Amino acid sequence: MQNKLLLSKLDVAKRQLETAIKLYFSEDDPVSIHTLSAAAYNILRDLGKNTGANPMMIKQMFLKFVIPGKENVLRNKINEAENFFKHADKDHELTLNFDTSLPEFFIVDAVNQYCQLTGEDTIWFKLFRGWFIASHPDLFNFPEHTSQQLSRVAPDVIKLGRNEYMRQLLPELLKTI
């Protein structure tokens, strides 16, 4: 193993996201998945601000639609799990009721930002995006024919489960590179 790695912020974000996705499809620890995805998310948000990229949905766009003066309430709620998992200086006696679906939204937003910043769409990102769309078809406004196809395919995809979906699709995606 190397003693040193020369890494850019984009390298770090990509590694964190791909590791979070691998853990996600292995149905591994949701706390670790969220910690990695939130760290990558924050790097990509900051890089996007400095390059003029489109704002990210969760921590930037949502705030534009919040009642003036309530921005901190939303910001605190969005950052609640991330901060809980990283700090114990002020809240060492608290517990958290963590919604384990939360990392999915951070991952998909971060994946889209990474692709926008780099033009690179990795196999792991494609795999995750496909699962996310199949898992949340009600969130998207696709053309009618796409929505109809999705409504036919999505239930079968979800029935497979995350691990089997990855096991079946990853070899197919690898053939495309």
Side-chain angles (χ1 to χ4, degrees):
M1 181 178 248
Q2 298 180 54
N3 290 332
K4 294 185 180 187
L5 294 173
L6 179 61
L7 300 166
S8 70
K9 295 291 186 170
L10 284 169
D11 295 332
V12 171
K14 178 182 176 182
R15 286 168 166 254
Q16 290 171 326
L17 274 176
E18 287 187 336
T19 300
I21 291 167
K22 291 170 189 175
L23 291 171
Y24 177 84
F25 282 117
S26 297
E27 299 186 36
D28 214 319
D29 180 43
V31 171
S32 298
I33 295 166
H34 189 66
T35 301
L36 286 166
S37 60
Y41 185 100
N42 290 332
I43 289 171
L44 294 166
R45 180 198 59 212
D46 294 345
L47 290 174
K49 284 180 189 175
N50 291 324
T51 61
N54 291 332
M56 295 176 75
M57 186 60 66
I58 295 172
K59 291 189 177 185
Q60 292 173 299
M61 294 297 294
F62 280 170
L63 290 172
K64 293 180 180 189
F65 303 102
V66 174
I67 296 169
K70 299 283 186 180
E71 297 88 355
N72 281 340
V73 173
L74 179 61
R75 193 175 289 111
N76 291 340
K77 192 65 179 163
I78 289 170
N79 293 325
E80 180 180 39
E82 176 184 348
N83 289 331
F84 187 87
F85 299 155
K86 292 191 315 184
H87 306 289
D89 55 339
K90 299 175 189 165
D91 61 357
H92 54 273
E93 297 294 325
L94 293 180
T95 58
L96 176 69
N97 189 10
F98 177 54
D99 179 349
T100 60
S101 69
L102 187 60
E104 296 174 4
F105 295 92
F106 277 80
I107 292 170
V108 78
D109 203 9
V111 160
N112 290 335
Q113 185 74 343
Y114 181 88
C115 293
Q116 182 187 164
L117 291 171
T118 66
E120 179 186 7
D121 194 7
T122 75
I123 297 296
W124 290 103
F125 295 172
K126 291 175 185 175
L127 189 71
F128 184 82
R129 193 179 302 107
W131 175 265
F132 185 84
I133 291 169
S135 298
H136 304 284
D138 55 318
L139 296 179
F140 299 97
N141 188 19
F142 291 122
E144 184 62 31
H145 69 281
T146 304
S147 292
Q148 288 173 355
Q149 282 181 308
L150 185 57
S151 66
R152 283 192 303 273
V153 173
D156 292 333
V157 169
I158 300 309
K159 254 188 247 172
L160 286 175
R162 296 189 307 221
N163 193 275
E164 186 61 20
Y165 169 84
M166 175 191 67
R167 197 183 72 64
Q168 287 186 23
L169 256 65
L170 192 55
E172 293 303 314
L173 287 171
L174 288 170
K175 289 177 188 175
T176 67
I177 59 172

